[in-house]
Amino acid sequence: MERRMTFTQIMWLFSLVVLLVTIAYPLFMLIYKSLFGEKGFGYAYKVIVSDPNTWVYAFNTVKLAVIVTFFAILIGVPLAFFVVRTDLPGRKIVRFLAVLPFILPPYVSAIAWIQLAAPYVGYINRIWKALGHSGNLINIYSFAGLVLVMTLKFYVYVFLTVAAALEQMDPSLEEAARMSGAHPFKVARDVTIPLVMPSIASGALLAFVATCANFGIPALIGDRAHYYVLTTRIYSTLSIPDLDKATAYSILLVILTGVALLIQKKSFGEKRYTTLTGKTVRPSVIALGKHKGLIALFVFIFLALTSVIPLFSLFFSAFLKNLYSPLTSLSSFTIDNFKFVLIQDETTTTALRTSIFSALLASTIVTLFGALLAYMIVKTNVKGRLFMDWLSSVPYALPGTVVGVAIILAFIKTPIFNTLWIIPFAYFVRYLSYGVRTTVGSLLQIDKTLEEASLMCGANWLTTMKNIVLPLIKPGLIAAWILVFMPTLSELTVSIIIYPPNHPTIGVATYNLMEEGQYTAAYALSAVVAVVVILAQLVVNRITGKMGARGL
């Protein structure tokens, strides 16, 4: 037992050192440089206070996030209610179509909507002109277009959190209200919605923070609409470069998201709604009656317009010779765009190799180290394990641009900076919480008596891990690996901040293609990313489904 504790202490020390170097040190440097920058003490905060543009960017960020959050609630709550608590036909299909835009990288969603609704060349406007009208019916390069794309991307946060709450809630209170003569929708308004209000607030908070932190959509749509937010300004100041101003914008962005978290905690931290009774319950289902067909038609039309058609337009456009090709002629279509990005163009092929290498390395290291850290958190009583758990989660709670700036400030004078290795390193920092949280969930379901029995039979800690623990958490490890691999393969927000000049990633290459006007090539590369991400998500669903079936 003494030997096992000594080994545990060594692993604890190793884990702590890794976390301090990779996470605590960059965050410390971000705060330190905000106080002692190149332009003098407190320059970053002087910029926040004195530069009027800073407040314009901050106001734009908050304004966009508030409006997107409002519409996310407006869409996500009713859709979750219809999927979970009514007899709406095709509820599994509805859930899949609702989540479809969410699993795609934000910049892919933006590119899909650009081809669908861009002035003059967008399909909607081309059809509008073909019908004899002048001008454009819709302009995606506007504030309204920015709100539209971000809402359709992030309302899923509200949808998923509310749907989960509705599925787990004890329906006895609703049944009591109905037995008292209340109409089903009055019950929903007066009983159900108030009970799931904390979940609505949590989903809204996630949508708000995600909007504040997003770079891809504001960069591709907002900049063309001359609507600038903090994430795009951070990127612009780093291009100059002006690290002090980038630090100032980063600190302000952290303050905004931190205030959102604080408001949510103050608003609902003291409230407790007992909706889980500990017994198996089946959510009561409301019959839609004669309105079922009409409501189902409306829901499927909405999801077709917001999930299916933009993605279809992206794939369709990836085969066009150019944006102005007539859509009715077969001669307008080609596979050369895919040959260009996958084989011929040196930049995109380098980006593919860089992203595949970085994603493979980062997902493997995150899974292995995340499993070790999760074991320390769940299966040991060493001091400081909760601090390590918290520290591993901090980077994911921060905007990706802020993480990128922190890494630059911390490692700009080290050999790793401006090399290929900085990319998987940044991905490790950003996505470590995926590996930890997924493995923690698997470890919590393993009875400690299995390990105790192995140790009592004479097996050491390593043998117990190899023969008992690892086989039982294998599905969770595979799921964690894929959950890290998916976003890192197509990542843009952190990558565009820290990538070396000769090693662009897929996300950076796609963004640059759009900026350079090589639209059909950008559509082809985005289509490849979309296919890979969707297939990976289906694999994750299958693995997690098996986990549930096996009781792990």
Side-chain angles (χ1 to χ4, degrees), residues 350-529:
T350 299
L352 288 167
R353 290 194 298 269
T354 299
S355 286
I356 291 171
F357 168 78
S358 300
L360 287 172
L361 183 60
S363 54
T364 301
I365 296 176
V366 165
T367 301
L368 295 176
F369 183 73
L372 172 62
L373 199 57
Y375 187 89
M376 300 293 296
I377 295 167
V378 175
K379 296 295 184 177
T380 72
N381 294 318
V382 294
K383 294 181 179 180
R385 67 187 189 282
L386 297 182
F387 169 74
M388 292 193 295
D389 186 19
W390 172 81
L391 189 58
S392 68
S393 303
V394 170
Y396 193 74
L398 296 174
T401 47
V402 174
V403 175
V405 171
I407 290 174
I408 290 175
L409 295 172
F411 300 102
I412 192 170
K413 295 182 179 180
T414 63
I416 193 177
F417 192 75
N418 249 359
T419 68
L420 172 62
W421 301 99
I422 194 69
I423 300 175
F425 178 85
Y427 292 167
F428 171 84
V429 174
R430 174 68 168 159
Y431 294 98
L432 177 59
S433 62
Y434 275 32
V436 176
R437 296 266 61 82
T438 305
T439 313
V440 162
S442 298
L443 287 171
L444 284 172
Q445 299 180 60
I446 298 177
D447 194 328
K448 63 181 181 180
T449 57
L450 296 175
E451 297 169 81
E452 292 173 352
S454 175
L455 295 170
M456 290 176 65
C457 292
N460 59 27
W461 184 84
L462 287 176
T463 302
T464 301
M465 285 290 294
K466 183 182 70 172
N467 296 332
I468 303 295
V469 178
L470 290 180
L472 290 174
I473 66 172
K474 182 180 178 181
L477 294 177
I478 296 174
W481 190 92
I482 298 176
L483 284 172
V484 176
F485 181 81
M486 281 195 300
T488 54
L489 181 66
S490 56
E491 208 278 336
L492 173 63
T493 305
V494 176
S495 303
I496 204 163
I497 299 292
I498 54 91
Y499 82 97
N502 297 326
H503 295 287
T505 63
I506 292 176
V508 172
T510 306
Y511 176 79
N512 288 339
L513 287 171
M514 290 293 293
E515 291 296 290
E516 295 164 3
Q518 300 187 61
Y519 297 114
T520 53
Y523 299 150
L525 194 53
S526 298
V528 172
V529 170

Side-chain angles (χ1 to χ4, degrees), residues 44-198:
Y45 298 98
K46 292 176 184 177
V47 169
I48 294 175
V49 173
S50 61
D51 187 352
N53 287 330
T54 304
W55 296 108
V56 172
Y57 305 146
F59 175 78
N60 286 350
T61 302
V62 173
K63 175 185 173 183
L64 177 64
V66 168
I67 295 175
V68 168
T69 301
F70 171 77
F71 284 110
I73 295 172
L74 208 60
I75 297 171
V77 174
L79 190 60
F81 181 80
F82 280 121
V83 168
V84 177
R85 288 304 182 94
T86 73
D87 59 349
L88 182 76
R91 285 176 285 178
K92 289 184 179 180
I93 299 175
V94 170
R95 189 186 289 265
F96 172 77
L97 293 179
V99 175
L100 182 59
F102 181 71
I103 66 176
L104 298 174
Y107 64 89
V108 172
S109 299
I111 291 172
W113 275 99
I114 286 171
Q115 181 53 22
L116 186 63
Y120 307 111
V121 294
Y123 295 132
I124 293 176
N125 290 316
R126 293 176 73 169
I127 294 172
W128 178 254
K129 290 180 180 179
L131 295 174
H133 301 284
S134 60
N136 296 301
L137 177 63
I138 186 172
N139 180 8
I140 199 66
Y141 297 130
S142 62
F143 179 71
L146 183 60
V147 169
L148 171 68
V149 177
M150 299 197 84
T151 298
L152 297 178
K153 178 69 181 174
F154 297 127
Y155 84 84
V156 182
Y157 283 117
V158 179
F159 170 75
L160 292 177
T161 54
V162 175
L166 289 171
E167 287 172 339
Q168 298 174 24
M169 193 173 72
D170 184 356
S172 59
L173 295 175
E174 299 166 291
E175 292 171 358
R178 279 193 292 272
M179 290 176 64
S180 300
H183 189 274
F185 286 98
K186 180 176 174 57
V187 174
R189 184 190 67 191
D190 296 339
V191 178
T192 309
I193 298 301
L195 286 175
V196 298
M197 190 60 70

